[in-house]
Amino acid sequence: AQKITQTQPGMFVQEKEAVTLDCTYDTSDPSYGLFWYKQPSSGEMIFLIYQGSYDQQNATEGRYSLNFQKARKSANLVISASQLGDSAMYFCAMKGTGNQFYFGTGTSLTVIP
Amino acid sequence: NAGVTQTPKFQVLKTGQSMTLQCAQDMNHNSMYWYRQDPGMGLRLIYYSASEGTTDKGEVPNGYNVSRLNKREFSLRLESAAPSQTSVYFCASSGTGVTNQPQHFGDGTRLSIL
């Protein structure tokens, strides 16, 4: 069975500091992709970063990086130098060899000035 | 680029009424999806279509029907709306069979059923 677990319902971070949002996954597929999305209060879903199961290096996109630990089945999102605009819901998702994406329940991040 | 377009953005229905949510994508994606999002529950898959002419049930299909009209369009129909279907509905699309292509989402439809 495919499953994504996000254990942090809410997180707080001081502006300009780094924050790590946790994501663990479960799959038996040999090949899979891991994704992070941001959902601000306006409601749209914004794709942030992707990590492939066979990628040797952790993915980075600007201030976003993905701490991928395959043996531990974790794919944590690291946001560096947090900004007020980073306050949002963040969802971890996975796609295996089938056509479905599997989403976690999300983490609400609040950046404190 | 329009990406994924959903209509309407907001809708209020009375219990028992029917309506169709429309979704169109211009990214030449094979796969399209309908999700509902309720507070504290993340995204739950209602139906998806891996390619034109095929549809499959997701986690919460009861009370909904879908139509994959062509490659671009995937509609979601509520035949007899119930208050439990009050939610935000998202349509998404992606490439089929490859794990490195993210889903692209529409802006959502906020549906209230009284």
Side-chain angles (χ1 to χ4, degrees):
Chain A
Q2 320 271 21
K3 188 176 182 182
I4 290 282
T5 302
Q6 294 180 255
T7 57
Q8 305 156 314
M11 290 281 288
F12 293 86
V13 63
Q14 205 74 36
E15 193 178 7
K16 300 181 183 178
E17 293 189 349
V19 62
T20 298
L21 306 184
D22 293 342
C23 173
T24 58
Y25 62 92
D26 190 18
T27 181
S28 56
D29 286 350
S31 176
Y32 50 90
L34 297 155
F35 306 84
W36 277 91
Y37 290 85
K38 173 184 179 181
Q39 186 178 40
S41 59
S42 50
E44 70 271 28
M45 294 286 286
I46 302 167
F47 166 66
L48 295 177
I49 193 167
Y50 159 81
Q51 179 81 45
S53 59
Y54 289 113
D55 292 344
Q56 295 298 311
Q57 292 188 324
N58 287 341
T60 60
E61 289 287 347
R63 294 186 299 110
Y64 303 110
S65 60
L66 205 153
N67 183 2
F68 179 49
Q69 298 186 47
K70 192 171 183 178
R72 299 181 62 183
K73 293 190 173 181
S74 72
N76 299 338
L77 177 70
V78 180
I79 305 175
S80 62
S82 295
Q83 302 172 355
L84 296 178
D86 294 334
S87 293
M89 283 290 292
Y90 289 82
F91 292 95
C92 181
M94 177 180 65
K95 184 177 190 285
T97 54
N99 291 308
Q100 292 191 45
F101 287 74
Y102 298 86
F103 284 81
T105 52
T107 295
S108 177
L109 177 67
T110 302
V111 180
I112 303 167
Chain B
N1 289 334
V4 179
T5 303
Q6 289 183 238
T7 56
K9 294 188 185 304
F10 302 93
Q11 184 71 47
V12 178
L13 293 177
K14 294 181 180 178
T15 297
Q17 287 185 317
S18 62
M19 81 161 295
T20 300
L21 307 185
Q22 306 286 354
C23 176
Q25 53 92 9
D26 63 2
M27 295 172 283
N28 201 36
H29 285 158
N30 286 321
S31 295
M32 298 186 72
Y33 308 79
W34 277 105
Y35 294 92
R36 60 178 289 173
Q37 185 178 30
D38 302 299
M41 301 193 73
L43 291 167
R44 291 187 292 170
L45 182 65
I46 304 171
Y47 272 94
Y48 69 101
S49 170
S51 62
E52 186 178 351
T54 69
T55 60
D56 287 287
K57 294 179 180 179
E59 181 185 355
V60 289
N62 291 344
Y64 305 95
N65 286 301
V66 290
S67 295
R68 183 73 182 268
L69 304 171
N70 47 56
K71 190 171 185 177
R72 291 186 64 248
E73 298 173 290
F74 189 39
S75 63
L76 178 72
R77 183 161 179 85
L78 288 70
E79 290 290 351
S80 178
S84 61
Q85 295 177 304
T86 293
S87 189
V88 179
Y89 291 85
F90 285 98
C91 177
S93 69
S94 75
T96 300
V98 290
T99 58
N100 65 345
Q101 292 191 18
Q103 285 183 314
H104 297 264
F105 286 83
D107 288 340
T109 296
R110 284 147 185 80
L111 181 62
S112 293
I113 299 161
L114 307 177

